[in-house]
């Protein structure tokens, strides 16, 4: 089904700049050139990247041209946006290695056959000093330097290096080179994308519109999903692991994940509230479904439910059937409904978890399940474990 | 006579950075590479430039290698140092035109045959984005941007453009390329030259020492000599005009001009105080002497004295003999001892100048000299003009 303009410009959208022009473009018969860039600074893409990639796919489905830009040159510099310290510069070899699987991973979401895939080294590596000074002259110095992320670093006594401010100018030049009608990206790319809009205007081109998507929180439920924070779910994750990780997100994140990572509409807030576990199973199945396939997702769900199936006992102590004889304590807790892995870890570390009366305080511990064991969490929650 | 180390490092010197290393170098038998660069942003060099050029010549006379750098690339960008607004970028054609006479003018002071003349376009135009980012990364952003001159502009609501901060990095790279042991330049070049020192250190070369020379005031006696302020004496000025302009500087500037623009030592402060006019004639003759030649300078002096010879009359009204029948009013005033052209202009504009009782209030006016005319300046100063 072709997404409507309303869906394109509002669902999973933080902000649209240049909306009026963009709407005109969408109304016309013209195929818009929709740019989205990713720097191959790591080897894995994750659900955080999926939010923008899915938006790009929506534009493809609406009949527009996806210009998927691999920042093989910019990756070597490193985008300083929202970074807390100077990024280590990558070598060409590292970047090439990272690039290898990038397309394959992005191809799980966008239609690569219909996309125009470009590498920014093609034009950036050829730029000479005179060209660069010309590009820099299109910006005021304060635009390049008076940035919240830089100010934060300087306040913390950290340095901002002279080359970091050139990053937005390079990304802006990419937009000039691919003649983008629209650039979309996560909210932390706002400044870089606006630089593109400005440069195009100064170079007397039609300035690109800018669409930002929200930054999604990771499995811990608080920090932005990122490799550095270790709270990410990789697009390449195996189905079982991916299913389990999605099941481990805090309930409060569910409606956000539904909005940003699925097409399900209207978002089933009622179900989320009434039957959070079922809603989460549905969420996990949907995401695993498009990142792997429906059959695999169904199998992952059945496996998960089998491992952590839950019944109420007559005395109102829930009886939990555990298929596995041995498993990590954290997985057990998340499986029976603790909000997240980090919450489970907290409970264990605070000595709030007992099995048959014995405190289990090693968050990395595995446990053997004996039939009819009693699991107690905190003061009031009891479970009977059955094998 | 070979200048001593003491003269090299103190006379007409504002500051030496890296003095210890530099003194070691001067003591060794090694020929030091002494860099001095000028951007051909205008067609004329003036006495302001002469201060550094004379210092460079001193190092030549002491047996060192002058590396005279023509900033044909950097001239197109424009050094923002101490500039009150964004410099207009020059075209290549303009720069080439300006360059034409530069060498010839500098050759009036330095020994071009013994100097190494280099043009920075040779290496700067070839730099590519990756090289430039590498160079920029050797500096912190605040080094490039937290500058007094930029702050001043921003405070005045003016813009600093993104490319302006790259200027010191380019000049620094010049130092790397010419392997300078010392860079010398006017005090407003301090930041640029220190950037060279830093870049060399970061690139594991022996960092250049830096020697700054004072900025000399122009003929108005207050502002730094510059083309923009119109208070300059060009190196290419004809001998007569040059002589007259030097005679028009305020007395208080004389000892500074002696120190910075002549080799005369000790500076004849006593004569300056007792016989300012004679001292100024001596100053003018000395400078015209090395920028033209001794014979021409002597002739210029004789002409000047003849035009404005001064005698006291019995009634204590000085009688001034004017050889010319017609001359600009301003020149007449300066010739008889008004401190400077700007002072003369002020007097005329304030209606303080009368000839035979008639107010002369056109600062650009010429006057015809009649025999026995009475010139009155202000309330008390009277002169008899004789032809």
């Amino acid at each position: 089904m072709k997404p409507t303009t309303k869906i394109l410009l509002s669902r999973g959208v933080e902000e649209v700049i240049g909306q009026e022009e963009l709407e005109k473009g969408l109304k016309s018969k013209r195929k818009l050139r929709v740019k989205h860039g990713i720097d191959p600074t790591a080897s894995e893409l994750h659900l955080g990247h999926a939010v923008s990639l899915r938006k790009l796919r929506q534009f493809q489905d609406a009949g527009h041209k996806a210009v998927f830009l691999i920042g093989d040159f910019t990756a070597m510099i490193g985008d300083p946006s929202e970074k807390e310290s100077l990024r280590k510069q990558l070598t060409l070899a590292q970047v090439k290695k990272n690039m290898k699987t990038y397309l394959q991973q992005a191809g799980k979401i966008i239609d690569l056959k219909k996309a125009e895939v470009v590498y920014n080294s093609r034009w950036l590596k050829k730029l000479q000093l005179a060209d660069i000074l010309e590009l820099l002259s299109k910006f005021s110095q304060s635009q390049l330097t008076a940035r919240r992320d830089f100010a934060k670093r300087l306040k913390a006594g950290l340095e901002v290096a002279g080359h970091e401010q050139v990053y937005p100018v390079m990304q802006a030049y990419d937009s000039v080179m691919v003649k983008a009608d629209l650039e979309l990206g996560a909210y932390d790319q706002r400044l870089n994308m606006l630089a593109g809009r400005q440069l195009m205007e100064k170079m007397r081109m039609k300035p690109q519109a800018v669409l930002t998507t929200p930054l999604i929180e990771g499995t811990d439920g608080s920090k932005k999903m990122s490799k550095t924070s270790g709270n990410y779910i990789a697009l390449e994750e195996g189905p079982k692991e991916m299913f389990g990780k999605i099941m481990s997100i805090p309930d409060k994140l569910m409606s956000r994940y539904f909005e940003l990572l699925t097409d399900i509409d209207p978002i089933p807030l009622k179900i989320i509230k009434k039957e959070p576990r079922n809603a989460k199973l549905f969420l996990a199945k949907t995401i695993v479904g498009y990142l792997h396939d429906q059959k695999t997702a169904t199998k992952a769900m059945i496996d998960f439910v089998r491992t952590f199936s839950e019944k109420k006992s007559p005395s109102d102590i829930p009886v939990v059937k555990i298929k596995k004889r041995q498993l990590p304590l954290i997985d057990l807790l998340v499986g029976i409904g603790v909000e997240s892995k980090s919450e489970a870890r907290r409970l264990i570390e605070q000595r709030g978890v007992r099995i048959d009366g014995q405190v289990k305080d090693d968050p990395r511990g595995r446990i053997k399940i004996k039939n009819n064991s009693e699991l107690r969490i905190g003061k009031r929650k009891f479970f009977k474990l059955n094998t």
Side-chain angles (χ1 to χ4, degrees), chain A residues 84-86 149-161:
Chain A
E84 275 156 26
S85 59
L86 176 60
D149 41 10
F150 288 171
K152 224 163 135 187
R153 263 204 256 164
L154 294 173
K155 211 179 153 191
L158 297 167
E159 250 194 17
V160 176

Side-chain angles (χ1 to χ4, degrees), chain A residues 9 14 56 71 83 86 96 133 135 155 157 160 169 173 181 188 190 225-226 232 236 246 285 311 323 331 347 366 381:
Chain A
L9 302 190
E14 193 84 41
L56 185 60
K83 286 286 163 291
L86 176 60
K96 279 200 171 153
L133 292 166
L135 292 176
K155 211 179 153 191
V160 176
V169 181
Y173 189 62
D181 292 299
D188 58 4
R190 186 175 189 274
M225 184 179 286
S226 76
Y232 68 104
E236 294 247 285
I246 297 170
K285 185 172 172 291
K311 284 182 211 158
K323 210 188 165 190
D331 288 1
L347 287 166
R366 294 175 67 86
K381 278 195 187 165

Side-chain angles (χ1 to χ4, degrees), chain A residues 265-374:
Chain A
D265 197 34
I267 297 152
L269 282 173
K270 260 193 207 162
I271 306 176
I272 291 175
K273 246 187 167 168
K274 265 198 185 161
E275 301 179 46
R277 194 158 182 278
N278 280 340
K280 218 187 264 181
L281 287 169
F282 183 37
L283 175 70
K285 185 172 172 291
T286 308
I287 296 176
V288 175
Y290 68 74
L291 287 175
H292 292 276
D293 59 70
Q294 287 307 331
K295 221 171 131 182
T296 311
T298 306
K299 195 178 167 305
M301 180 166 75
I302 291 167
D303 280 355
F304 187 89
V305 172
R306 238 183 229 157
T307 311
F308 304 105
S309 72
E310 197 177 306
K311 284 182 211 158
K312 300 273 175 183
S313 81
S315 59
D316 254 22
I317 293 180
V319 177
V320 182
K321 194 170 158 60
I322 315 282
K323 210 188 165 190
K324 284 187 180 170
R325 295 296 303 261
Q326 264 210 353
L327 77 172
L329 179 55
I330 280 193
D331 288 1
L332 173 69
L333 296 182
V334 168
I336 63 165
V338 169
E339 259 219 343
S340 65
K341 283 196 177 182
S342 57
E343 172 64 9
R345 197 173 297 119
R346 198 184 61 76
L347 287 166
I348 298 167
E349 279 166 355
Q350 291 177 356
R351 302 175 61 83
V353 177
R354 286 157 203 250
I355 290 178
D356 294 334
Q358 212 182 338
V359 173
K360 299 284 179 194
D361 59 0
D362 177 6
R364 266 177 278 175
R366 294 175 67 86
I367 55 157
K368 262 190 197 163
I369 308 291
K370 281 181 276 180
N371 216 358
N372 278 322
S373 278
E374 185 197 72

Side-chain angles (χ1 to χ4, degrees), chain A residues 157-225:
Chain A
L158 297 167
E159 250 194 17
V160 176
H163 66 289
E164 295 188 81
Q165 57 186 301
V166 184
Y167 192 94
V169 181
M170 296 192 285
Q171 184 164 333
Y173 189 62
D174 289 345
S175 291
V176 168
M177 290 311 284
V178 306
K179 298 189 178 65
D181 292 299
L182 166 67
E183 177 165 12
L184 62 86
Y187 193 72
D188 58 4
Q189 289 297 304
R190 186 175 189 274
L191 197 78
N192 295 335
M193 297 192 288
L194 286 178
R197 192 169 156 79
Q198 175 171 333
L199 184 61
M200 293 171 92
E201 198 157 14
K202 293 248 174 172
M203 291 175 80
R204 286 165 199 189
M205 294 170 71
K206 195 169 73 65
Q208 67 182 10
V210 166
L211 183 155
T212 62
T213 58
L215 296 165
I216 201 167
E217 292 81 6
T219 49
D220 61 343
S222 58
K223 279 194 198 145
K224 171 193 152 187
M225 184 179 286

Side-chain angles (χ1 to χ4, degrees), chain A residues 133-147:
Chain A
L133 292 166
E134 173 74 21
L135 292 176
L136 284 171
S137 77
K138 308 294 188 199
F139 297 87
S140 79
Q141 189 176 87
S142 35
Q143 281 183 313
L144 300 177
T145 59
R147 294 170 50 164

